[in-house]
Amino acid sequence: EPEVTQTPSHQVTQMGQEVILRCVPISNHLYFYWYRQILGQKVEFLVSFYNNEISEKSEIFDDQFSVERPDGSNFTLKIRSTKLEDSAMYFCASSERSGSYQPQHFGDGTRLSIL
Amino acid sequence: AQTVTQSQPEMSVQEAETVTLSCTYDTSESDYYLFWYKQPPSRQMILVIRQEAYKQQNATENRFSVNFQKAAKSFSLKISDSQLGDAAMYFCAYRGNAGNMLTFGGGTRLMVKP
């Protein structure tokens, strides 16, 4: 069964550095998402992306964050200048179509640790 | 804003027994969708079951079924004939009729005892 894959599984970065988290969505999916889960807290929506533009974003997704689909297969989340509070598990997801009944398929996540 | 609450941080069940995980939500929308996701220790969240709010009939997927009480804003998951492989974190999630954002509950860790 096709899966969403994320790399790396664990990323350690110094505070203030830029970090890029990578995701390969399921190949025929058109909608892409990032979520994060700070340790001990709920999974939170960050952003959704369709047709090469952001379709929805949360308050968390400020100017420090950006997303890109650079080559038609990868979907990336960039954090420009990382802060300690960015430490979290970041999940990528994709869905075939829009519509609230469409399931989102999640990757294994990338654990981001900011030192 | 919508909120989703899972009041049971941990639950345990004996193998082959039945367990019910609770979920409540708060919304002003009349049309929405509810999901249960399972996250085994390998970390990938997998969709277990989903329910459309306009459907009165409770969704069922093999050993998994829901009890959807729209007036009470309750969406519990029942796992019948529990198996060791059911041990995981279970997340309840809400999605409104507009947009694709999922709002998650805090999760319930289910342990299955042999």
Side-chain angles (χ1 to χ4, degrees), chain B residues 1-48:
Chain B
Q2 291 80 20
T3 58
V4 179
T5 302
Q6 294 178 247
S7 59
Q8 306 149 318
E10 280 190 1
M11 291 282 286
S12 67
V13 62
Q14 205 70 38
E15 196 176 2
E17 297 293 308
T18 296
V19 65
T20 298
L21 309 184
S22 63
C23 172
T24 58
Y25 56 94
D26 188 24
T27 184
S28 57
E29 296 179 302
S30 59
D31 199 13
Y32 49 86
Y33 303 82
L34 297 163
F35 304 83
W36 277 98
Y37 278 89
K38 170 186 176 181
Q39 187 182 38
S42 63
R43 299 183 299 170
Q44 188 175 61
M45 271 192 283
I46 304 162
L47 179 67
V48 173

Short mmCIF file of all heavy atoms in Angstrom, two decimals, chain B residues 1-48:
data_model
loop_
_atom_site.label_atom_id
_atom_site.label_comp_id
_atom_site.label_asym_id
_atom_site.label_seq_id
_atom_site.Cartn_x
_atom_site.Cartn_y
_atom_site.Cartn_z
N ALA B 1 -14.13 28.37 17.67
CA ALA B 1 -13.21 27.34 17.18
C ALA B 1 -13.64 25.98 17.72
O ALA B 1 -14.17 25.87 18.82
CB ALA B 1 -11.79 27.65 17.64
N GLN B 2 -13.38 24.97 16.91
CA GLN B 2 -13.75 23.63 17.34
C GLN B 2 -12.72 23.08 18.31
O GLN B 2 -11.53 23.37 18.21
CB GLN B 2 -13.82 22.70 16.12
CG GLN B 2 -14.96 23.01 15.18
CD GLN B 2 -14.66 24.18 14.26
OE1 GLN B 2 -13.51 24.52 14.05
NE2 GLN B 2 -15.69 24.80 13.74
N THR B 3 -13.21 22.30 19.26
CA THR B 3 -12.30 21.60 20.17
C THR B 3 -12.72 20.14 20.24
O THR B 3 -13.90 19.81 20.09
CB THR B 3 -12.32 22.20 21.59
OG1 THR B 3 -13.66 22.16 22.09
CG2 THR B 3 -11.82 23.64 21.59
N VAL B 4 -11.75 19.29 20.48
CA VAL B 4 -11.98 17.86 20.61
C VAL B 4 -11.35 17.40 21.91
O VAL B 4 -10.18 17.72 22.17
CB VAL B 4 -11.38 17.09 19.41
CG1 VAL B 4 -11.60 15.59 19.58
CG2 VAL B 4 -11.98 17.57 18.11
N THR B 5 -12.10 16.66 22.69
CA THR B 5 -11.63 16.23 24.01
C THR B 5 -11.70 14.72 24.14
O THR B 5 -12.75 14.11 23.88
CB THR B 5 -12.47 16.87 25.12
OG1 THR B 5 -12.41 18.30 25.00
CG2 THR B 5 -11.94 16.48 26.49
N GLN B 6 -10.60 14.14 24.52
CA GLN B 6 -10.56 12.72 24.87
C GLN B 6 -10.23 12.65 26.35
O GLN B 6 -9.11 12.98 26.75
CB GLN B 6 -9.53 11.98 24.01
CG GLN B 6 -9.88 11.96 22.55
CD GLN B 6 -8.83 11.27 21.70
OE1 GLN B 6 -8.17 11.90 20.89
NE2 GLN B 6 -8.71 9.97 21.86
N SER B 7 -11.18 12.23 27.13
CA SER B 7 -11.05 12.35 28.59
C SER B 7 -10.26 11.22 29.22
O SER B 7 -9.95 11.26 30.41
CB SER B 7 -12.44 12.40 29.23
OG SER B 7 -13.16 11.24 28.89
N GLN B 8 -9.92 10.20 28.42
CA GLN B 8 -9.21 9.04 28.96
C GLN B 8 -7.77 9.03 28.42
O GLN B 8 -7.56 8.61 27.29
CB GLN B 8 -9.91 7.74 28.55
CG GLN B 8 -11.38 7.67 28.89
CD GLN B 8 -12.16 6.82 27.89
OE1 GLN B 8 -11.93 6.91 26.69
NE2 GLN B 8 -13.08 6.01 28.39
N PRO B 9 -6.80 9.46 29.19
CA PRO B 9 -5.42 9.44 28.68
C PRO B 9 -4.94 8.01 28.43
O PRO B 9 -4.17 7.77 27.51
CB PRO B 9 -4.61 10.07 29.81
CG PRO B 9 -5.60 10.73 30.69
CD PRO B 9 -6.90 10.03 30.51
N GLU B 10 -5.41 7.06 29.26
CA GLU B 10 -4.99 5.67 29.11
C GLU B 10 -6.17 4.74 29.37
O GLU B 10 -7.01 5.01 30.22
CB GLU B 10 -3.88 5.32 30.11
CG GLU B 10 -2.51 5.79 29.70
CD GLU B 10 -1.43 5.21 30.60
OE1 GLU B 10 -1.75 4.44 31.51
OE2 GLU B 10 -0.26 5.55 30.38
N MET B 11 -6.17 3.66 28.62
CA MET B 11 -7.17 2.61 28.85
C MET B 11 -6.47 1.28 28.68
O MET B 11 -5.50 1.17 27.92
CB MET B 11 -8.32 2.72 27.83
CG MET B 11 -9.21 3.92 28.00
SD MET B 11 -10.38 3.70 29.34
CE MET B 11 -11.55 2.56 28.59
N SER B 12 -6.99 0.27 29.37
CA SER B 12 -6.47 -1.06 29.14
C SER B 12 -7.64 -2.02 28.98
O SER B 12 -8.73 -1.79 29.49
CB SER B 12 -5.55 -1.50 30.28
OG SER B 12 -6.30 -1.65 31.46
N VAL B 13 -7.37 -3.07 28.23
CA VAL B 13 -8.41 -4.06 27.95
C VAL B 13 -7.75 -5.43 27.87
O VAL B 13 -6.59 -5.56 27.45
CB VAL B 13 -9.14 -3.73 26.63
CG1 VAL B 13 -8.21 -3.75 25.44
CG2 VAL B 13 -10.33 -4.65 26.39
N GLN B 14 -8.48 -6.42 28.28
CA GLN B 14 -8.00 -7.80 28.16
C GLN B 14 -8.20 -8.25 26.72
O GLN B 14 -9.22 -7.91 26.08
CB GLN B 14 -8.81 -8.70 29.12
CG GLN B 14 -8.12 -9.96 29.56
CD GLN B 14 -6.98 -9.68 30.51
OE1 GLN B 14 -7.05 -8.80 31.36
NE2 GLN B 14 -5.92 -10.45 30.34
N GLU B 15 -7.26 -9.00 26.24
CA GLU B 15 -7.37 -9.56 24.90
C GLU B 15 -8.71 -10.28 24.76
O GLU B 15 -9.16 -10.96 25.69
CB GLU B 15 -6.22 -10.55 24.68
CG GLU B 15 -5.97 -10.92 23.25
CD GLU B 15 -4.76 -11.82 23.10
OE1 GLU B 15 -4.15 -12.19 24.12
OE2 GLU B 15 -4.41 -12.14 21.95
N ALA B 16 -9.36 -10.07 23.60
CA ALA B 16 -10.65 -10.66 23.26
C ALA B 16 -11.85 -9.93 23.87
O ALA B 16 -13.00 -10.22 23.51
CB ALA B 16 -10.74 -12.13 23.60
N GLU B 17 -11.58 -8.98 24.76
CA GLU B 17 -12.67 -8.22 25.36
C GLU B 17 -12.98 -6.98 24.51
O GLU B 17 -12.31 -6.70 23.51
CB GLU B 17 -12.31 -7.81 26.79
CG GLU B 17 -12.10 -8.98 27.73
CD GLU B 17 -13.38 -9.76 27.98
OE1 GLU B 17 -14.40 -9.15 28.33
OE2 GLU B 17 -13.35 -11.00 27.80
N THR B 18 -13.99 -6.26 24.95
CA THR B 18 -14.43 -5.05 24.24
C THR B 18 -14.06 -3.82 25.06
O THR B 18 -14.14 -3.84 26.30
CB THR B 18 -15.95 -5.10 24.02
OG1 THR B 18 -16.26 -6.19 23.15
CG2 THR B 18 -16.46 -3.80 23.40
N VAL B 19 -13.65 -2.78 24.36
CA VAL B 19 -13.30 -1.53 25.04
C VAL B 19 -13.92 -0.37 24.26
O VAL B 19 -14.07 -0.43 23.03
CB VAL B 19 -11.77 -1.37 25.14
CG1 VAL B 19 -11.13 -1.24 23.75
CG2 VAL B 19 -11.38 -0.20 26.01
N THR B 20 -14.27 0.67 24.99
CA THR B 20 -14.84 1.87 24.37
C THR B 20 -14.01 3.08 24.74
O THR B 20 -13.76 3.34 25.92
CB THR B 20 -16.29 2.08 24.81
OG1 THR B 20 -17.08 0.97 24.39
CG2 THR B 20 -16.86 3.35 24.18
N LEU B 21 -13.57 3.81 23.72
CA LEU B 21 -12.80 5.03 23.92
C LEU B 21 -13.73 6.22 23.66
O LEU B 21 -14.43 6.26 22.64
CB LEU B 21 -11.62 5.08 22.95
CG LEU B 21 -10.71 3.85 22.91
CD1 LEU B 21 -9.53 4.09 21.97
CD2 LEU B 21 -10.24 3.48 24.30
N SER B 22 -13.69 7.18 24.54
CA SER B 22 -14.63 8.29 24.42
C SER B 22 -14.01 9.52 23.76
O SER B 22 -12.80 9.73 23.81
CB SER B 22 -15.20 8.66 25.79
OG SER B 22 -14.16 9.11 26.63
N CYS B 23 -14.87 10.28 23.14
CA CYS B 23 -14.47 11.52 22.46
C CYS B 23 -15.66 12.46 22.46
O CYS B 23 -16.78 12.06 22.10
CB CYS B 23 -14.02 11.23 21.04
SG CYS B 23 -13.72 12.69 20.02
N THR B 24 -15.45 13.67 22.87
CA THR B 24 -16.48 14.70 22.73
C THR B 24 -15.88 15.87 21.99
O THR B 24 -14.66 16.05 21.95
CB THR B 24 -17.01 15.16 24.10
OG1 THR B 24 -15.92 15.65 24.89
CG2 THR B 24 -17.70 14.03 24.83
N TYR B 25 -16.74 16.65 21.39
CA TYR B 25 -16.26 17.77 20.59
C TYR B 25 -17.21 18.94 20.76
O TYR B 25 -18.35 18.79 21.22
CB TYR B 25 -16.12 17.38 19.12
CG TYR B 25 -17.40 16.84 18.54
CD1 TYR B 25 -18.28 17.67 17.87
CD2 TYR B 25 -17.72 15.49 18.69
CE1 TYR B 25 -19.47 17.17 17.35
CE2 TYR B 25 -18.90 14.99 18.17
CZ TYR B 25 -19.77 15.83 17.51
OH TYR B 25 -20.95 15.35 17.02
N ASP B 26 -16.73 20.07 20.40
CA ASP B 26 -17.54 21.28 20.48
C ASP B 26 -17.50 21.98 19.13
O ASP B 26 -16.41 22.23 18.59
CB ASP B 26 -17.01 22.21 21.57
CG ASP B 26 -17.93 23.38 21.84
OD1 ASP B 26 -19.14 23.25 21.55
OD2 ASP B 26 -17.45 24.41 22.31
N THR B 27 -18.66 22.26 18.57
CA THR B 27 -18.73 22.93 17.29
C THR B 27 -20.07 23.64 17.16
O THR B 27 -21.05 23.22 17.77
CB THR B 27 -18.55 21.94 16.14
OG1 THR B 27 -18.54 22.65 14.90
CG2 THR B 27 -19.65 20.90 16.11
N SER B 28 -20.08 24.67 16.34
CA SER B 28 -21.34 25.34 16.02
C SER B 28 -21.82 24.95 14.62
O SER B 28 -22.89 25.38 14.19
CB SER B 28 -21.16 26.86 16.10
OG SER B 28 -20.13 27.28 15.23
N GLU B 29 -21.04 24.12 13.95
CA GLU B 29 -21.42 23.69 12.61
C GLU B 29 -22.43 22.54 12.68
O GLU B 29 -22.46 21.79 13.65
CB GLU B 29 -20.17 23.22 11.84
CG GLU B 29 -19.16 24.34 11.61
CD GLU B 29 -17.92 23.85 10.88
OE1 GLU B 29 -17.27 22.93 11.39
OE2 GLU B 29 -17.62 24.40 9.81
N SER B 30 -23.23 22.41 11.65
CA SER B 30 -24.20 21.33 11.62
C SER B 30 -23.72 20.18 10.73
O SER B 30 -24.17 19.04 10.88
CB SER B 30 -25.55 21.84 11.10
OG SER B 30 -25.39 22.39 9.81
N ASP B 31 -22.79 20.49 9.84
CA ASP B 31 -22.29 19.48 8.92
C ASP B 31 -20.79 19.38 9.11
O ASP B 31 -20.07 20.38 8.95
CB ASP B 31 -22.63 19.87 7.47
CG ASP B 31 -22.55 18.68 6.55
OD1 ASP B 31 -22.49 17.54 7.05
OD2 ASP B 31 -22.56 18.89 5.33
N TYR B 32 -20.33 18.18 9.42
CA TYR B 32 -18.90 18.01 9.70
C TYR B 32 -18.59 16.51 9.62
O TYR B 32 -19.47 15.69 9.36
CB TYR B 32 -18.53 18.59 11.07
CG TYR B 32 -19.45 18.16 12.20
CD1 TYR B 32 -19.24 16.97 12.88
CD2 TYR B 32 -20.54 18.94 12.56
CE1 TYR B 32 -20.08 16.57 13.89
CE2 TYR B 32 -21.40 18.55 13.58
CZ TYR B 32 -21.16 17.37 14.24
OH TYR B 32 -22.01 16.98 15.24
N TYR B 33 -17.34 16.18 9.87
CA TYR B 33 -16.88 14.80 9.74
C TYR B 33 -16.00 14.47 10.94
O TYR B 33 -15.24 15.32 11.42
CB TYR B 33 -16.11 14.62 8.42
CG TYR B 33 -16.95 15.01 7.23
CD1 TYR B 33 -17.06 16.33 6.85
CD2 TYR B 33 -17.66 14.04 6.52
CE1 TYR B 33 -17.86 16.70 5.78
CE2 TYR B 33 -18.45 14.39 5.45
CZ TYR B 33 -18.55 15.72 5.09
OH TYR B 33 -19.34 16.09 4.03
N LEU B 34 -16.10 13.24 11.35
CA LEU B 34 -15.35 12.79 12.52
C LEU B 34 -14.54 11.55 12.16
O LEU B 34 -14.99 10.72 11.36
CB LEU B 34 -16.31 12.47 13.68
CG LEU B 34 -17.11 13.67 14.19
CD1 LEU B 34 -18.31 13.21 15.00
CD2 LEU B 34 -16.22 14.59 15.01
N PHE B 35 -13.36 11.46 12.74
CA PHE B 35 -12.44 10.39 12.41
C PHE B 35 -11.82 9.83 13.70
O PHE B 35 -11.62 10.54 14.67
CB PHE B 35 -11.30 10.90 11.53
CG PHE B 35 -11.74 11.58 10.25
CD1 PHE B 35 -12.12 12.91 10.26
CD2 PHE B 35 -11.75 10.88 9.06
CE1 PHE B 35 -12.52 13.54 9.08
CE2 PHE B 35 -12.15 11.51 7.89
CZ PHE B 35 -12.52 12.83 7.89
N TRP B 36 -11.48 8.55 13.63
CA TRP B 36 -10.60 7.95 14.62
C TRP B 36 -9.34 7.48 13.90
O TRP B 36 -9.42 6.75 12.89
CB TRP B 36 -11.25 6.76 15.31
CG TRP B 36 -12.16 7.14 16.44
CD1 TRP B 36 -13.51 7.26 16.42
CD2 TRP B 36 -11.75 7.45 17.78
NE1 TRP B 36 -13.98 7.64 17.64
CE2 TRP B 36 -12.93 7.75 18.50
CE3 TRP B 36 -10.52 7.49 18.44
CZ2 TRP B 36 -12.91 8.09 19.86
CZ3 TRP B 36 -10.50 7.83 19.78
CH2 TRP B 36 -11.68 8.13 20.48
N TYR B 37 -8.20 7.90 14.42
CA TYR B 37 -6.91 7.48 13.90
C TYR B 37 -6.21 6.65 14.96
O TYR B 37 -6.30 6.91 16.16
CB TYR B 37 -6.02 8.68 13.55
CG TYR B 37 -6.30 9.31 12.21
CD1 TYR B 37 -7.24 10.33 12.08
CD2 TYR B 37 -5.61 8.90 11.08
CE1 TYR B 37 -7.49 10.91 10.85
CE2 TYR B 37 -5.85 9.48 9.84
CZ TYR B 37 -6.79 10.49 9.73
OH TYR B 37 -7.03 11.07 8.51
N LYS B 38 -5.46 5.67 14.50
CA LYS B 38 -4.64 4.81 15.37
C LYS B 38 -3.18 5.09 15.08
O LYS B 38 -2.79 5.17 13.91
CB LYS B 38 -4.96 3.34 15.07
CG LYS B 38 -4.05 2.32 15.70
CD LYS B 38 -4.41 0.92 15.18
CE LYS B 38 -3.45 -0.12 15.72
NZ LYS B 38 -3.79 -1.49 15.19
N GLN B 39 -2.40 5.25 16.13
CA GLN B 39 -0.97 5.48 15.97
C GLN B 39 -0.21 4.42 16.76
O GLN B 39 0.04 4.56 17.95
CB GLN B 39 -0.59 6.88 16.44
CG GLN B 39 0.85 7.24 16.14
CD GLN B 39 1.21 8.62 16.67
OE1 GLN B 39 0.78 9.02 17.75
NE2 GLN B 39 2.00 9.37 15.91
N PRO B 40 0.22 3.34 16.09
CA PRO B 40 1.01 2.31 16.77
C PRO B 40 2.38 2.86 17.15
O PRO B 40 2.76 3.94 16.69
CB PRO B 40 1.13 1.20 15.72
CG PRO B 40 0.16 1.54 14.65
CD PRO B 40 -0.02 3.04 14.69
N PRO B 41 3.13 2.11 17.91
CA PRO B 41 4.47 2.58 18.30
C PRO B 41 5.37 2.92 17.12
O PRO B 41 6.30 3.68 17.28
CB PRO B 41 5.02 1.39 19.09
CG PRO B 41 3.81 0.73 19.66
CD PRO B 41 2.74 0.89 18.60
N SER B 42 5.13 2.44 15.95
CA SER B 42 5.92 2.79 14.76
C SER B 42 5.64 4.20 14.29
O SER B 42 6.29 4.70 13.38
CB SER B 42 5.64 1.80 13.63
OG SER B 42 4.26 1.88 13.25
N ARG B 43 4.66 4.87 14.87
CA ARG B 43 4.38 6.30 14.76
C ARG B 43 3.45 6.74 13.65
O ARG B 43 2.95 7.82 13.69
CB ARG B 43 5.68 7.12 14.68
CG ARG B 43 6.56 6.98 15.88
CD ARG B 43 7.76 7.87 15.76
NE ARG B 43 8.59 7.55 14.63
CZ ARG B 43 9.58 8.33 14.22
NH1 ARG B 43 9.85 9.44 14.83
NH2 ARG B 43 10.30 7.96 13.18
N GLN B 44 3.25 5.97 12.60
CA GLN B 44 2.39 6.44 11.51
C GLN B 44 0.93 6.36 11.92
O GLN B 44 0.45 5.32 12.37
CB GLN B 44 2.63 5.58 10.27
CG GLN B 44 1.94 6.08 9.02
CD GLN B 44 2.34 5.26 7.82
OE1 GLN B 44 2.09 4.07 7.79
NE2 GLN B 44 2.97 5.89 6.84
N MET B 45 0.21 7.46 11.78
CA MET B 45 -1.22 7.47 12.09
C MET B 45 -1.99 6.84 10.96
O MET B 45 -1.82 7.19 9.79
CB MET B 45 -1.69 8.91 12.32
CG MET B 45 -1.55 9.36 13.74
SD MET B 45 -2.40 10.89 14.06
CE MET B 45 -1.27 12.06 13.35
N ILE B 46 -2.88 5.94 11.32
CA ILE B 46 -3.66 5.20 10.32
C ILE B 46 -5.13 5.45 10.60
O ILE B 46 -5.59 5.37 11.74
CB ILE B 46 -3.38 3.69 10.44
CG1 ILE B 46 -1.89 3.41 10.33
CG2 ILE B 46 -4.15 2.91 9.38
CD1 ILE B 46 -1.50 2.05 10.84
N LEU B 47 -5.88 5.75 9.55
CA LEU B 47 -7.32 5.96 9.72
C LEU B 47 -7.99 4.65 10.09
O LEU B 47 -7.79 3.63 9.44
CB LEU B 47 -7.92 6.50 8.43
CG LEU B 47 -9.42 6.75 8.46
CD1 LEU B 47 -9.76 7.89 9.41
CD2 LEU B 47 -9.95 7.04 7.06
N VAL B 48 -8.79 4.69 11.15
CA VAL B 48 -9.52 3.51 11.60
C VAL B 48 -10.94 3.53 11.08
O VAL B 48 -11.44 2.54 10.53
CB VAL B 48 -9.52 3.44 13.14
CG1 VAL B 48 -10.40 2.31 13.64
CG2 VAL B 48 -8.11 3.28 13.68
#
